[in-house]
Amino acid sequence: MARSNQWDSLSSQARESLRMNILGGEWAPGAKLQVAQLSKRYDTSSTVMREALTRLAGEQLVTFIPNRGFFVAELSLDELRDLTEFRCRIEGFGVALAIERGDLTWESELIAAHHTLERTPRRRTDDPHRISHEWLSAHQAFHAKILEPCRVATLQDLAATLADATVLYRQWTAPTQAAESRDIEAEHRGILEAVLARDTDAAQQRLREHYSRTTDVIESSLGQSAETGER
């Protein structure tokens, strides 16, 4: 049993480290992920790393092609639009349940998660056009906390998977005026206010607007890249 727990711990650590680096834009979409190189980088066995990659493939951040290996997921605008619509519907249902079932302790924890998000720098100091790991974690924690009282584990897991897929797109979009002028902090405050007011319709609408703006920014960036011949 102890050996099994140790294996699970190593696999989870490798998965989380690799996941954060993929979301941080360490590899371009479609890049091959070499098991041997990754094992050396993360100081773990090839068996553990293969398990981590397999789990990330299940979360759609990695693609496995038989006889070729593992690759960072590719980008597709059509897929992004579908992911966004699915995410809006899934989380719309989830936030309705959360508002119905959440208690005062949850409200307090949600306020704390939002405070952490607001106080965490969004941009990396070494590359201001990229989102920082710390902000990504705080952002994920805030949105996860919103859904927590719904108590539907499958919904929460799916929402997290869809959120990661969106981050992967966002990290590989060039800066645009739409992105630079967007007041994402105000969007988060609006979502928080609607949830705390127990206004289900407003919370669902603000979540939809929030996710739709992200998709619009990505589409705008990828459109500019296509016009200039960039990838």
Side-chain angles (χ1 to χ4, degrees):
M1 181 65 71
R3 183 174 295 178
S4 176
N5 290 338
Q6 183 180 27
W7 172 271
D8 290 342
S9 177
L10 289 172
S11 179
S12 295
Q13 289 173 13
R15 171 202 163 275
E16 186 59 22
S17 296
L18 182 56
R19 171 182 166 274
M20 289 305 297
N21 284 329
I22 289 174
L23 293 179
E26 295 291 328
W27 296 278
K32 186 166 186 178
L33 298 169
Q34 301 278 5
V35 173
Q37 292 177 0
L38 293 175
S39 299
K40 184 176 181 180
R41 173 171 177 163
Y42 295 106
D43 192 24
T44 191
S45 71
S46 59
T47 303
V48 168
M49 185 51 61
R50 188 174 295 276
E51 171 68 18
L53 285 164
T54 300
R55 292 173 64 185
L56 289 174
E59 297 170 19
Q60 300 181 23
L61 286 180
V62 169
T63 300
F64 175 69
I65 302 176
N67 301 319
R68 293 186 58 196
F70 295 95
F71 300 82
V72 177
E74 295 274 12
L75 306 185
S76 160
L77 277 179
D78 286 339
E79 182 180 52
L80 174 63
R81 296 184 191 106
D82 289 341
L83 288 173
T84 300
E85 182 59 29
F86 193 25
R87 190 179 182 194
C88 289
R89 297 193 183 201
I90 287 291
E91 293 200 27
F93 179 64
V95 76
L97 287 178
I99 288 173
E100 177 184 325
R101 298 173 176 177
D103 58 13
L104 183 59
T105 299
W106 165 64
E107 289 187 8
S108 300
E109 292 173 352
L110 181 59
I111 292 169
H114 177 261
H115 181 74
T116 299
L117 177 60
E118 278 213 315
R119 294 304 181 97
T120 302
R122 187 152 60 104
R123 301 294 182 178
R124 282 167 44 171
T125 55
D126 61 329
D127 186 351
H129 296 313
R130 294 282 179 84
I131 300 171
S132 72
H133 291 311
E134 294 77 14
W135 190 90
L136 283 175
S137 294
H139 186 250
Q140 179 190 44
F142 172 67
H143 280 280
K145 182 61 68 174
I146 290 173
L147 299 177
E148 189 176 272
C150 80
R151 299 195 297 273
V152 182
T154 302
L155 184 152
Q156 292 169 277
D157 290 344
L158 181 55
T161 296
L162 294 172
D164 279 355
T166 304
V167 170
L168 187 60
Y169 279 85
R170 185 67 188 90
Q171 287 287 40
W172 282 99
T173 55
T176 63
Q177 184 176 359
E180 299 297 333
S181 62
R182 181 184 183 187
D183 191 348
I184 197 168
E185 289 76 19
E187 294 174 28
H188 287 136
R189 286 193 296 271
I191 294 167
L192 176 68
E193 289 166 2
V195 171
L196 293 178
R198 306 285 176 150
D199 188 335
T200 299
D201 290 341
Q204 290 173 330
Q205 181 60 31
R206 289 175 186 177
L207 278 172
R208 175 173 285 277
E209 291 171 353
H210 179 58
Y211 297 146
S212 295
R213 286 193 184 108
T214 297
T215 300
D216 290 344
V217 165
I218 294 170
E219 287 197 35
S220 173
S221 174
L222 293 180
Q224 283 191 10
S225 296
E227 289 175 5
T228 59
E230 298 174 359
R231 293 195 59 179

